[in-house]
Amino acid sequence: STVLNTTEMAPDKLATRADLLKYYNGVVNDVFMPSGRVHLFFNCRFQDGAVQHVSTGEKIQIDVLRSVVDSTYGKITIPSKRAPPFRIAAGVQVVPLNDITQIDTRQYQKFVVVGAGKSGMDVVTWMLGNGIKAEQVVWVRPRESWITPR
């Protein structure tokens, strides 16, 4: 296990983009690659025993000894990277949760948070900790969330 050292070690502060990139760069270069057991092909697609770089088209034939791990298997989409899967009424502003800290929240009387995952919990916690009253927040979620320590 490798510790993620953030620029601010307070438990209520999230790691920055730079913190995460530094962490994963270290894990890849200092742990995975030197082991010789893992080969990483970023920005590539795997098909018919070869990886092909998305930008250059370069193909590399792969001899798989044990297994291929396809991290795209779940086809997970990041909500902030796509249009909302529902209609937005005229005059309603939709803000990806990562951008909530960039808007002047005082100009709004009501907020609707969609989603019950950790990110939804994080944004509601941030809102309540930054002057937005609970009565101003409508939280749409399919069920109560349970978080278990890992």
Side-chain angles (χ1 to χ4, degrees), residues 10-111:
D12 62 332
K13 302 294 182 203
L14 297 176
T16 65
R17 179 178 190 270
D19 293 330
L20 293 173
L21 290 174
K22 181 179 176 185
Y23 170 81
Y24 282 107
N25 186 50
V27 170
V28 166
N29 291 318
D30 300 338
V31 179
F32 288 155
M33 299 308 287
S35 76
R37 296 181 298 157
V38 175
H39 299 276
L40 300 172
F41 299 94
F42 294 105
N43 205 24
C44 292
R45 292 198 174 110
F46 180 78
Q47 186 176 6
D48 301 324
V51 293
Q52 182 175 16
H53 195 275
V54 173
S55 300
T56 67
E58 176 189 6
K59 282 188 177 181
I60 302 170
Q61 191 64 34
I62 302 294
D63 294 323
V64 178
L65 300 178
R66 294 229 172 118
S67 63
V68 173
V69 177
D70 182 359
S71 64
T72 65
Y73 177 74
K75 305 292 185 222
I76 296 168
T77 58
I78 300 168
S80 65
K81 302 293 183 191
R82 63 167 165 75
F86 46 82
R87 284 191 344 253
I88 309 291
V92 173
Q93 182 180 1
V94 176
V95 178
L97 66 93
N98 293 337
D99 294 344
I100 190 73
T101 61
Q102 307 303 313
I103 64 170
D104 180 6
T105 57
R106 296 171 296 183
Q107 67 179 322
Y108 301 100
Q109 295 176 359
K110 283 283 189 192
F111 300 86

